[in-house]
Amino acid sequence: MSVLITDAAFDPAEQLRLFTHASKGAGAIVSFTGLVRDTSSTGAVTRLHLQAYDPMTQRGMEDAIDKARGRWPLQTVSIIHRVGDMAPDDPIVFVATASAHRRAAFESADFLMDYLKTEAIFWKKEYTEDSERWIEPRPEDYKDKNRWNS
Amino acid sequence: MSVLITDAAFDPAEQLRLFTHASKGAGAIVSFTGLVRDTSSTGAVTRLHLQAYDPMTQRGMEDAIDKARGRWPLQTVSIIHRVGDMAPDDPIVFVATASAHRRAAFESADFLMDYLKTEAIFWKKEYTEDSERWIEPRPEDYKDKNRWNS
Amino acid sequence: MTTLIYLGRLADVAGTSEEQLDLPDTIKTTDDLRAWLNTRFSSPTPAFDQSVRIALDSEICVEPASLGTAIEIAFLPPVGGG
Amino acid sequence: MTTLIYLGRLADVAGTSEEQLDLPDTIKTTDDLRAWLNTRFSSPTPAFDQSVRIALDSEICVEPASLGTAIEIAFLPPVGGG
């Protein structure tokens, strides 16, 4: 299980290589990569800034992995999350799950992404040529998250 | 959109690198990698053999991608499927989907894997030290597949 | 001449994955063909049962179907990849 | 001395992301603190409303709560990463 919060750029393909290597015998591996969008409602995005608040951010992500492991039989889980300044198309987040079971790998990655979008302790500021604004989760994000409450 | 059926080994990490490169501006990328299991109900697996029947196999996979594109807004989709002889831990299948929307990327990859497990035109033979048997989809695979009928 | 393709486990039943032959004149439909093959390759339970789909020239047919002028007939037991 | 941490958009409201100060003796609870900050950093709508959670020494508190001996108090507007 690993959680990494980093202000350095990372390569999702390289992370999948490392993760697959660490998941021998798993059978099913799902990865999610989130990238900085290049457009927003107010124009072309020039920069995205992400802020965390450690140790709360790290601890929250570890708790989310524990919850996922309580629900699904997972062999390996990894989350990498960028902080600091990013450009459009830069990877922001990488989540990977490995299991003997395909559905467990899919559902747990989906669950972790819903957590990251609505509960993970990050704040995002989006910059365009002539504006800047803090972004908060959308109603859909909370709705996606609530799928897991039953 | 690409479908590749190949008897050569492939590297999922390298495939994710190429796919991410081809999906600029997407926002969300999901990948699934299926690997040969190292154990079966009858012992340690020594070899897995996969057989296709072209052009039906290729055409069926292309049709499945068309169906996925009809249901979800997808920017890019890729499926790579091995045929021939494989060893435990070799990648059998790689599915990647890219979309502006995280749920579209997750659901379409999940949908395509359910198709591949139950309808894609492949036959699998599993070898252990002292046995060999043809493997057919499990009841769970058909059940997973039927989730998409509504 | 017709090419018969035995896929998956049916290659074990037929002892070959493919054969070319002239079908008897009496074999005109998929039902005729199933019955004939179940006799040729007899096994405790008929191998060419309804779980096996038939493709005529690379198209799954809706049975019962006439074999028509198909030059390649393939027998597909239950499929599944991944 | 107490360290106040203003996270996300609250740094724009407070004009700083962090400050160290001696809180007035009258500020004993999270409610007191919210009211005091809303006065200090006045804006058309109060910035330290109930959508902002408070962490005392890195633990989200269940409000209303006593500030106790907390040495670091953080204000968390709605979160979300990915």
Side-chain angles (χ1 to χ4, degrees):
Chain A
M1 305 311 109
S2 77
V3 169
L4 176 67
I5 300 167
T6 175
D7 59 5
F10 67 89
D11 173 13
E14 173 62 11
Q15 294 304 324
L16 181 60
R17 195 185 66 74
L18 294 169
F19 186 79
T20 302
H21 189 75
S23 305
K24 274 219 177 313
I29 293 176
V30 167
S31 80
F32 178 89
T33 305
L35 305 154
V36 178
R37 309 227 180 157
D38 52 11
T39 49
S40 81
S41 56
T42 55
V45 173
T46 53
R47 180 159 61 108
L48 186 72
H49 178 80
L50 260 107
Q51 181 185 18
Y53 178 50
D54 273 323
M56 285 184 66
T57 305
Q58 172 88 22
R59 204 168 56 204
M61 288 162 78
E62 288 167 357
D63 288 351
I65 290 181
D66 286 345
K67 273 186 202 149
R69 292 174 68 78
R71 289 179 79 126
W72 294 280
L74 300 175
Q75 181 170 331
T76 330
V77 180
S78 174
I79 303 178
I80 299 170
H81 207 296
R82 273 292 300 277
V83 289
D85 284 330
M86 282 156 269
D89 287 320
D90 280 357
I92 309 175
V93 62
F94 176 82
V95 169
T97 54
S99 175
H101 307 278
R102 160 173 113 260
R103 300 230 47 71
F106 267 117
E107 291 181 3
S108 57
D110 196 5
F111 169 89
L112 288 169
M113 277 311 304
D114 286 344
Y115 164 82
L116 288 167
K117 285 282 178 183
T118 57
E119 291 194 40
I121 297 171
F122 292 99
W123 297 272
K124 286 198 250 195
K125 195 172 199 171
E126 189 177 77
Y127 295 79
T128 61
E129 197 60 54
D130 51 12
S131 74
E132 52 182 75
R133 64 181 186 115
W134 291 95
I135 308 176
E136 294 182 359
R138 306 161 304 161
E140 304 96 279
D141 292 323
Y142 291 116
K143 205 175 129 213
D144 285 345
K145 167 81 182 31
N146 288 336
R147 292 180 301 150
W148 308 102
N149 290 350
S150 60
Chain B
M1 304 314 107
S2 76
V3 169
L4 175 66
I5 301 167
T6 175
D7 60 4
F10 67 88
D11 174 12
E14 174 62 10
Q15 294 304 323
L16 181 60
R17 196 183 66 72
L18 295 169
F19 187 79
T20 302
H21 189 74
S23 306
K24 274 219 177 313
I29 294 175
V30 168
S31 79
F32 178 88
T33 305
L35 305 154
V36 179
R37 310 230 178 153
D38 52 12
T39 47
S40 81
S41 57
T42 54
V45 173
T46 53
R47 178 159 63 107
L48 186 72
H49 178 79
L50 259 106
Q51 181 185 18
Y53 177 51
D54 274 323
M56 287 185 64
T57 305
Q58 172 88 20
R59 205 167 59 204
M61 288 162 79
E62 288 167 358
D63 288 350
I65 290 181
D66 286 346
K67 274 186 203 151
R69 292 173 70 79
R71 290 179 79 126
W72 294 280
L74 300 176
Q75 181 170 328
T76 330
V77 181
S78 174
I79 303 178
I80 299 169
H81 207 295
R82 273 292 301 279
V83 288
D85 283 329
M86 282 157 268
D89 287 319
D90 280 357
I92 308 175
V93 62
F94 176 82
V95 169
T97 56
S99 175
H101 307 279
R102 158 172 115 262
R103 299 229 45 71
F106 267 117
E107 291 180 3
S108 57
D110 197 4
F111 169 89
L112 288 169
M113 277 310 305
D114 285 344
Y115 164 81
L116 289 167
K117 285 281 179 184
T118 56
E119 291 195 37
I121 297 172
F122 292 99
W123 297 272
K124 287 198 250 196
K125 195 172 197 173
E126 190 177 77
Y127 295 80
T128 61
E129 197 60 53
D130 51 12
S131 73
E132 53 182 76
R133 62 181 188 117
W134 291 95
I135 308 176
E136 295 183 357
R138 306 161 303 160
E140 304 96 279
D141 292 323
Y142 292 116
K143 203 174 131 215
D144 286 344
K145 168 79 180 33
N146 288 336
R147 292 181 302 150
W148 308 102
N149 290 350
S150 61
Chain C
M1 285 284 272
T2 306
T3 302
L4 302 184
I5 311 263
Y6 304 108
L7 291 155
R9 61 176 156 78
L10 295 175
D12 296 347
V13 172
T16 180
S17 58
E18 185 171 335
E19 60 178 340
Q20 292 201 315
L21 46 70
D22 289 307
L23 289 175
D25 290 344
T26 51
I27 311 292
K28 296 187 182 313
T29 69
T30 49
D31 281 350
D32 297 341
L33 188 55
R34 283 176 192 277
W36 185 65
L37 290 170
N38 279 329
T39 306
R40 267 184 85 205
F41 306 119
S42 71
S43 59
T45 54
F48 293 82
D49 65 8
Q50 294 300 324
S51 75
V52 173
R53 289 180 297 169
I54 297 178
L56 303 178
D57 292 335
S58 298
E59 292 281 355
I60 293 286
C61 66
V62 180
E63 299 191 53
S66 159
L67 300 180
T69 57
I71 59 170
E72 181 174 298
I73 303 177
F75 300 92
L76 293 78
V79 296
Chain D
M1 288 283 272
T2 307
T3 302
L4 301 185
I5 312 266
Y6 303 108
L7 291 155
R9 61 176 157 77
L10 295 175
D12 297 348
V13 172
T16 180
S17 59
E18 186 170 333
E19 62 177 339
Q20 292 201 315
L21 45 69
D22 287 307
L23 289 173
D25 290 344
T26 52
I27 310 294
K28 297 191 182 309
T29 68
T30 50
D31 281 352
D32 297 341
L33 187 56
R34 283 178 190 275
W36 184 66
L37 291 170
N38 280 329
T39 306
R40 268 183 85 205
F41 306 120
S42 71
S43 58
T45 53
F48 294 82
D49 66 7
Q50 294 299 325
S51 75
V52 173
R53 289 180 295 168
I54 298 179
L56 303 177
D57 293 335
S58 297
E59 291 282 354
I60 294 287
C61 66
V62 180
E63 299 191 53
S66 160
L67 300 180
T69 57
I71 58 171
E72 181 172 298
I73 303 179
F75 302 92
L76 294 78
V79 296

